[in-house]
C-alpha cells in the first residue's frame, strides 16, 4: 500500500496528544469533585456524569479523525490497466556533436549548453511526440518519435563529441535523415529544432529545403556560441587546441547564416541560445501551427485509489459518536443551572453580531479583481492591464470559465502591446473553451493577431506572411461559422481574403521575374571559355573565368558546370590552381604553396643512383620475395603488419574517433 500524500500522515501524532489531554482534564475534574462534595452527598449532587460513556464518545471522535487523515492522504493499493491514446504534435530535436561544439564561449561549453537546453525543452513538451537526432559529419536518428520522454532524456545524456566519428557539421545529411524518418509515418506536419553553431553556406541545401516545405516540416534553429568565437580545446591533447592541416589554430565562431536560411525558408524561427533556458513559449507559435497526430493506444497502469474506505469508516464513527452522546441521561442539576443562567443573561452587544462578518473579512482574499484589469484595458493602460491579468491568473480561486475570460483579456492586452507571439499563445488556449461565444471571440482575435503579425513582416518575409494570413483566414472563417450574423466579422474575413489573393498574385509575379533572370544567367554560361589549363598549371586555367557570366553582376548565380575536354585535368588537380583549392582553408593554401619546392628537392635527392646501388636494390627485392616458412609472411608483409600494430597501440584511442569530411574541416 502507498499514499499519494504520505507527509499528511504526520498529523496522526496529534492523537496521543489528545488522549493525554483527556486524561489531564478528567484528573482535574475528579479532584474538583472530591474537594467540593462530600462522599455521602456525591451520588445525590453529581448526576449525569459517566466516565466510561465520556471515554467512548471521545474515543469514537479520535478514531474518526484518524480515518479522515488517512483518507486525505489517499491510500492506494492494487493496479488497473489503462489504454491511453498516444497522440501529440511531432517534434524532432537535433544536436550538433562536432568538435567545434567543445568551444567554451558559452559556459560550460557549447555541447553541454545545448544538451541542457534540449533537456529543458523536452521537459516542457509534455504530451508531445519527440524524436532525437545527432549529427556531425553524418546524421543518425537516436530515438524515433515517442511520448516516452524519459527514454529521450536518457538518450540525450549519452551525447558527446565521440558519438559520431565523422567530423564537421553536415546539415544536408541531417535534413536527409529527417526526411527518411518521416517517410513511413502518417501524413502530418512536423517541427525540427536544430541546436548547432552553424556552418558554411551550402548551395546543396536548396533542394532539401524544398523537400522540407513539401513534407510540412518547419525548422527552428538555435544558434549556440558567440559571433566573436573562441579556440576549440583538443580533447586528444591536454592543453592544446584544434588545428587545421597547416598547423594553424582554429577559431570557431557562430555562423548563423545557414541557420537563418533554414528557419526563414521553412517558416520557422531562429533563436540564439544564451544563459536562460529554452522554454516552450519561445517556439509556441511554431507548435500552434502543428496538428496532433494520433497513433495506436498504449497500455499503462495506475494504482487504484482506496480513500473511500477510510472516509466511509470515519463518517460512520462520527455518526455513532453523535448518537451515543445524544442518548438521554439522568437530569443533572448543574445543567439546569447553566440553562437558567443562559436564559437570564443579558443580550450580546450589537458589535458582537458583526463578528461573523469580521471573520469572513479575515479570510477574504485581497488583491486585484477582474474588473480592475478590464477597466485598465478599456482606459488604454495596457501595461497595467497585462500585469493585473498576470497576477489574477496566478491565483487558483477562479473556475475554468473565469480563467478562460482572463486569458482572453490577457491575449487582447498582448495584441494591443504588439506582443503577437504572446497574444497567439493565449488566444490558442482559449479555443479549448466550451463557451460558444467566447470561442468565436477567440477565433476572431487570433485571426486579427495573425493578420497584424503578417503585416509587420510583409517586406522582409513575404512567405511567412502568406502562411500567417492563410491561418488568419481560417480562424476568421471558424469565427463566422460560430457567429454568422456578425457583419463586422464578415467584412474582416473578406478583407483578409482579398489581401491574401493580392499577395499570392504579387509573389507569383516575383517568381516569374526570378525565373526569367535565371534563364538569362544560363545564357551567360556560354562565356565560360574552357579552362585551358593542362596538367597542374592551375593558375593559367583561371583565365576561363574572365568570360561572360550572364546577367548576374556578382557572379553568384548557379554553380558553373565544367566542360569536358582539357579542363578535366585542371579539376582533378589538387594543387594551388586546382578545384579543391577554392574549398580549402587558408592554412592549407599556404602548405600547398610550399610543397612543390620540397617535392622537387626530394626528387633531386632520390634521382638516378649509380649502377651498384641498382644491384643492391635488386638483391634486396629478391630477399623481400622470400617467404618465411615459420610465419608464412615475406619480410615486407611482416614489416607492414608490425608497423600497423605499433601505430594502433601507441596512438591514443581518441585519435580514431572521427573521419575528416570532404571539405577538410573536421571540427
Amino acid at each position: 500500500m502507498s499514499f499519494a500524500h504520505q507527509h499528511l500522515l504526520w498529523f496522526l501524532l496529534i492523537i496521543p496528544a489528545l488522549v493525554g489531554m483527556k486524561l489531564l482534564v478528567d484528573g482535574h475534574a475528579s479532584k474538583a469533585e472530591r474537594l467540593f462534595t462530600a462522599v455521602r452527598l456525591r451520588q445525590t449532587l453529581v448526576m449525569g456524569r459517566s466516565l466510561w460513556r465520556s471515554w467512548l464518545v471521545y474515543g469514537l471522535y479520535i478514531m474518526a479523525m484518524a480515518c479522515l487523515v488517512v483518507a486525505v492522504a489517499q491510500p492506494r493499493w492494487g493496479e488497473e490497466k489503462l489504454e491511453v491514446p498516444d497522440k501529440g504534435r511531432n517534434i524532432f530535436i537535433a544536436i550538433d556533436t562536432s568538435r567545434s561544439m567543445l568551444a567554451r564561449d558559452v559556459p560550460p561549453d557549447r555541447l553541454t549548453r545545448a544538451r541542457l537546453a534540449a533537456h529543458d525543452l523536452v521537459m516542457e513538451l509534455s504530451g508531445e511526440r519527440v524524436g532525437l537526432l545527432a549529427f556531425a559529419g553524418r546524421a543518425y536518428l537516436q530515438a524515433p518519435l515517442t511520448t516516452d520522454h524519459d527514454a529521450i532524456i536518457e538518450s540525450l545524456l549519452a551525447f558527446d563529441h565521440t558519438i559520431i566519428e565523422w567530423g564537421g557539421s553536415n546539415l544536408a545529411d541531417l535534413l536527409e535523415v529527417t526526411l527518411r524518418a518521416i517517410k513511413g509515418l502518417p501524413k502530418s506536419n512536423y517541427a525540427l529544432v536544430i541546436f548547432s553553431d552553424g556552418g558554411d553556406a551550402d548551395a546543396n541545401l536548396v533542394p532539401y529545403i524544398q523537400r522540407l516545405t513539401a513534407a510540412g516540416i518547419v525548422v527552428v534553429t538555435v544558434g549556440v556560441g558567440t559571433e566573436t568565437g573562441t579556440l576549440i580545446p583538443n580533447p586528444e591533447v591536454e592543453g592544446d587546441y584544434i588545428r587545421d592541416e597547416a598547423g594553424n589554430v582554429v577559431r570557431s565562431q557562430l555562423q548563423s547564416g545557414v541557420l537563418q536560411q533554414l528557419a526563414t525558408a521553412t517558416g520557422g524561427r531562429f533563436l540564439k541560445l544564451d544563459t536562460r533556458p529554452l522554454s516552450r513559449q519561445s517556439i509556441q507559435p511554431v507548435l500552434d501551427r502543428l496538428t496532433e497526430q494520433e497513433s495506436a493506444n498504449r497500455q499503462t497502469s495506475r494504482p487504484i485509489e482506496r480513500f473511500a474506505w477510510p472516509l466511509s469508516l470515519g463518517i460512520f464513527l462520527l455518526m455513532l459518536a453523535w448518537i451515543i452522546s445524544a442518548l438521554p441521561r439522568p437530569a443533572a442539576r448543574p445543567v439546569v443551572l447553566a440553562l437558567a443562567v443562559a436564559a437570564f443573561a443579558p443580550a450580546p452587544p450589537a458589535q458582537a453580531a458583526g463578528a461573523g462578518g469580521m471573520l469572513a473579512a479575515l479570510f477574504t482574499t485581497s488583491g486585484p479583481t477582474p474588473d480592475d484589469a478590464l477597466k485598465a484595458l478599456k482606459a488604454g493602460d495596457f501595461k497595467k492591464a497585462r500585469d493585473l491579468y498576470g497576477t489574477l491568473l496566478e491565483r487558483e480561486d477562479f473556475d475554468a470559465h473565469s480563467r478562460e475570460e482572463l486569458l482572453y483579456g490577457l491575449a487582447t492586452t498582448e495584441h494591443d502591446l504588439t506582443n503577437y507571439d504572446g497574444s497567439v499563445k493565449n488566444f490558442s488556449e482559449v479555443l479549448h473553451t466550451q463557451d460558444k461565444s467566447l470561442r468565436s471571440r477567440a477565433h476572431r482575435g487570433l485571426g486579427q493577431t495573425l493578420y497584424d503579425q503578417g503585416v509587420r513582416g510583409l517586406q522582409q518575409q513575404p512567405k511567412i506572411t502568406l502562411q500567417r494570413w492563410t491561418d488568419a483566414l481560417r480562424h476568421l472563417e471558424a469565427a463566422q461559422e460560430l457567429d454568422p450574423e456578425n457583419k463586422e466579422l464578415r467584412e474582416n474575413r473578406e478583407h483578409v481574403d482579398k489581401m491574401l489573393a493580392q499577395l499570392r498574385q504579387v509573389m507569383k509575379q516575383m517568381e516569374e521575374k526570378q525565373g526569367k533572370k535565371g534563364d538569362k544567367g544560363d545564357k551567360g554560361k556560354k562565356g565560360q571559355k574552357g579552362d585551358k589549363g593542362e596538367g597542374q598549371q592551375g593558375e593559367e586555367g583561371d583565365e576561363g573565368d574572365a568570360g561572360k557570366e550572364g546577367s548576374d553582376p556578382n557572379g553568384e548565380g548557379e554553380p558553373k558546370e565544367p566542360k569536358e575536354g582539357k579542363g578535366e585535368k585542371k579539376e582533378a588537380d589538387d594543387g594551388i590552381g586546382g578545384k579543391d583549392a577554392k574549398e580549402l582553408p587558408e592554412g592549407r593554401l599556404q602548405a600547398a604553396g610550399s610543397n612543390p619546392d620540397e617535392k622537387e628537392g626530394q626528387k633531386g635527392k632520390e634521382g638516378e643512383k649509380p649502377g651498384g646501388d641498382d644491384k643492391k636494390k635488386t638483391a634486396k627485392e629478391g630477399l623481400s620475395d622470400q617467404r618465411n616458412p615459420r610465419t608464412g609472411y615475406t619480410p615486407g608483409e611482416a614489416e607492414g603488419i608490425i608497423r600497423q600494430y605499433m601505430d594502433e597501440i601507441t596512438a591514443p584511442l581518441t585519435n580514431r574517433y572521427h573521419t575528416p569530411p570532404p571539405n577538410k574541416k573536421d571540427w
Side-chain angles (χ1 to χ4, degrees):
M1 183 173 67
S2 61
F3 294 89
H5 307 288
Q6 191 172 0
H7 61 281
L8 296 180
L9 296 177
W10 288 101
F11 285 102
L12 295 177
L13 296 177
I14 301 176
I15 294 176
L18 294 176
V19 173
M21 187 181 298
K22 173 68 173 173
L23 292 172
L24 182 62
V25 171
D26 285 351
H28 283 286
S30 300
K31 184 178 180 181
E33 181 182 342
R34 290 192 302 270
L35 291 174
F36 287 97
T37 59
V39 177
R40 61 186 178 84
L41 300 176
R42 191 172 300 164
Q43 297 295 330
T44 305
L45 296 176
V46 180
M47 300 177 62
R49 183 173 183 271
S50 176
L51 188 60
W52 71 268
R53 186 173 181 172
S54 173
W55 272 102
L56 177 60
V57 174
Y58 193 77
L60 291 175
Y61 279 125
I62 287 179
M63 288 189 293
M65 187 187 70
C67 291
L68 294 178
V69 170
V70 173
V72 172
Q74 296 184 5
R76 303 171 176 178
W77 64 84
E79 291 184 348
E80 59 179 345
K81 302 294 183 181
L82 297 176
E83 286 191 357
V84 181
D86 189 4
K87 65 178 181 179
R89 299 178 181 88
N90 301 313
I91 304 166
F92 285 97
I93 297 178
I95 297 182
D96 188 351
T97 60
S98 60
R99 293 196 293 175
S100 63
M101 296 291 286
L102 298 176
R104 299 191 178 99
D105 51 353
V106 178
D109 58 68
R110 297 178 184 175
L111 182 56
T112 304
R113 188 70 192 89
R115 284 169 46 197
L116 294 174
H119 181 279
D120 295 339
L121 182 60
V122 171
M123 295 298 293
E124 292 193 10
L125 294 175
S126 177
E128 311 293 358
R129 305 175 74 235
V130 181
L132 190 61
L133 300 100
F135 73 99
R138 290 189 181 180
Y140 292 96
L141 180 64
Q142 301 296 319
L145 289 172
T146 179
T147 55
D148 187 3
H149 291 179
D150 292 336
I152 296 294
I153 293 176
E154 185 176 353
S155 300
L156 185 63
L157 294 177
F159 276 24
D160 58 10
H161 66 283
T162 63
I163 193 172
I164 296 178
E165 63 179 357
W166 285 270
S169 299
N170 194 344
L171 290 171
D173 195 41
L174 170 63
L175 303 182
E176 177 65 28
V177 171
T178 305
L179 291 169
R180 288 202 306 266
I182 68 172
K183 188 175 183 181
L185 299 177
K187 186 172 180 59
S188 180
N189 50 5
Y190 304 82
L192 174 61
V193 183
I194 302 176
F195 293 85
S196 176
D197 54 2
D200 299 328
D202 190 358
N204 296 329
L205 293 179
V206 176
Y208 289 102
I209 293 175
Q210 296 174 353
R211 292 171 60 188
L212 290 175
T213 306
I217 301 178
V218 181
V219 180
V220 177
T221 54
V222 182
V224 186
T226 59
E227 286 78 11
T228 56
T230 185
L231 304 180
I232 308 173
N234 192 343
E236 305 167 7
V237 182
E238 183 70 20
D240 198 6
Y241 299 93
I242 299 294
R243 300 175 182 270
D244 57 14
E245 292 186 353
N248 301 324
V249 177
V250 176
R251 186 180 187 88
S252 175
Q253 301 173 343
L254 172 61
Q255 299 175 345
S256 58
V258 177
L259 302 179
Q260 292 179 352
Q261 177 189 4
L262 277 174
T264 303
T266 58
R269 302 185 66 182
F270 170 75
L271 306 172
K272 187 176 178 182
L273 188 62
D274 50 15
T275 56
R276 295 173 296 178
L278 182 66
S279 62
R280 175 179 179 142
Q281 186 176 2
S282 58
I283 63 171
Q284 189 63 42
V286 176
L287 299 181
D288 291 337
R289 288 154 47 191
L290 303 181
T291 57
E292 290 188 346
Q293 178 181 342
E294 184 171 353
S295 58
N297 296 342
R298 57 185 176 91
Q299 287 190 349
T300 183
S301 61
R302 68 177 181 184
I304 302 175
E305 299 284 349
R306 305 289 186 177
F307 68 91
W309 294 95
L311 179 61
S312 302
L313 181 59
I315 294 174
F316 173 75
L317 294 175
L318 283 174
M319 294 177 63
L320 185 60
W322 177 76
I323 292 173
I324 294 175
S325 62
L327 289 176
R329 65 181 69 185
R333 291 174 184 173
V335 175
V336 176
L337 181 60
L339 291 175
V341 171
F344 291 98
Q351 295 178 355
M358 294 174 62
L359 185 63
L362 291 176
F363 289 97
T364 303
T365 57
S366 61
T369 62
D371 293 336
D372 296 336
L374 185 59
K375 290 179 182 178
L377 178 60
K378 291 182 178 180
D381 193 354
F382 302 125
K383 292 185 178 180
K384 180 181 178 182
R386 180 175 60 183
D387 296 338
L388 292 175
Y389 278 120
T391 304
L392 291 170
L393 287 170
E394 291 177 355
R395 289 163 47 180
E396 298 181 356
D397 54 344
F398 293 104
D399 56 6
H401 184 267
S402 300
R403 291 187 64 84
E404 291 165 355
E405 289 285 355
L406 293 175
L407 282 172
Y408 179 82
L410 179 60
T412 305
T413 307
E414 296 286 5
H415 176 271
D416 294 333
L417 290 171
T418 66
N419 182 15
Y420 297 133
D421 290 343
S423 180
V424 168
K425 173 182 177 297
N426 293 312
F427 275 133
S428 300
E429 293 185 12
V430 181
L431 292 179
H432 300 290
T433 182
Q434 300 297 326
D435 188 351
K436 183 178 178 181
S437 175
L438 181 59
R439 189 163 66 252
S440 174
R441 288 185 287 149
H443 276 296
R444 179 178 179 181
L446 189 56
Q448 293 177 351
T449 303
L450 290 172
Y451 177 78
D452 294 341
Q453 194 175 20
V455 170
R456 186 168 63 178
L458 179 61
Q459 297 294 332
Q460 291 79 11
Q461 299 174 331
K463 291 184 178 180
I464 298 179
T465 299
L466 180 64
Q467 179 64 37
R468 287 172 178 162
W469 283 4
T470 304
D471 295 340
L473 181 62
R474 178 167 56 85
H475 286 288
L476 291 175
E477 290 174 349
Q480 191 174 8
E481 291 179 1
L482 297 173
D483 189 9
E485 303 299 329
N486 194 324
K487 180 179 178 181
E488 183 180 357
L489 181 60
R490 183 171 62 255
E491 292 177 354
N492 290 343
R493 189 196 64 79
E494 293 175 354
H495 174 72
V496 174
D497 192 11
K498 178 181 177 182
M499 297 299 296
L500 189 60
Q502 293 179 0
L503 178 60
R504 287 172 177 166
Q505 184 178 2
V506 171
M507 292 183 65
K508 184 178 179 181
Q509 294 175 357
M510 293 173 61
E511 291 177 356
E512 291 177 354
K513 291 181 180 180
Q514 291 178 358
K516 292 180 181 180
K517 291 182 179 181
D519 294 340
K520 293 180 180 180
D522 292 338
K523 293 180 181 180
K525 290 182 180 179
K526 297 180 180 180
Q528 298 178 9
K529 296 183 180 180
D531 295 343
K532 296 181 180 181
E534 297 181 2
Q536 297 186 357
Q537 299 295 329
E539 296 182 357
E540 295 179 2
D542 291 341
E543 295 177 359
D545 295 336
K548 298 179 180 179
E549 298 182 0
S551 60
D552 191 354
N554 297 324
E556 297 178 354
E558 300 179 357
K560 300 178 181 180
E561 297 289 340
K563 294 186 177 181
E564 298 180 357
K566 296 180 180 180
E568 294 180 355
K569 294 183 179 180
K570 175 190 172 184
E571 293 183 3
D573 181 19
D574 197 19
I576 301 176
K579 177 183 177 182
D580 293 342
K582 299 178 181 180
E583 301 177 355
L584 291 175
E586 183 177 358
R588 175 64 186 271
L589 290 176
Q590 295 174 358
S594 60
N595 281 341
D597 297 338
E598 295 177 2
K599 291 182 178 178
E600 290 177 2
Q602 292 177 359
K603 289 180 180 179
K605 294 179 181 179
E606 298 177 359
E608 296 182 357
K609 296 182 179 180
D613 294 339
D614 292 340
K615 292 180 181 180
K616 292 181 181 178
K617 184 177 180 181
T618 304
K620 195 172 184 179
E621 291 177 353
L623 291 174
S624 63
D625 294 335
Q626 296 179 2
R627 191 173 298 276
N628 193 322
R630 292 182 297 175
T631 62
Y633 296 104
T634 64
E637 293 174 346
E639 184 180 357
I641 293 174
I642 294 174
R643 183 180 297 109
Q644 180 181 359
Y645 174 74
M646 292 300 296
D647 291 342
E648 291 180 355
I649 65 174
T650 56
L653 293 178
T654 53
N655 287 344
R656 290 174 284 164
Y657 85 95
H658 68 279
T659 302
N663 62 355
K664 311 299 182 184
K665 295 174 67 174
D666 62 338
W667 53 84

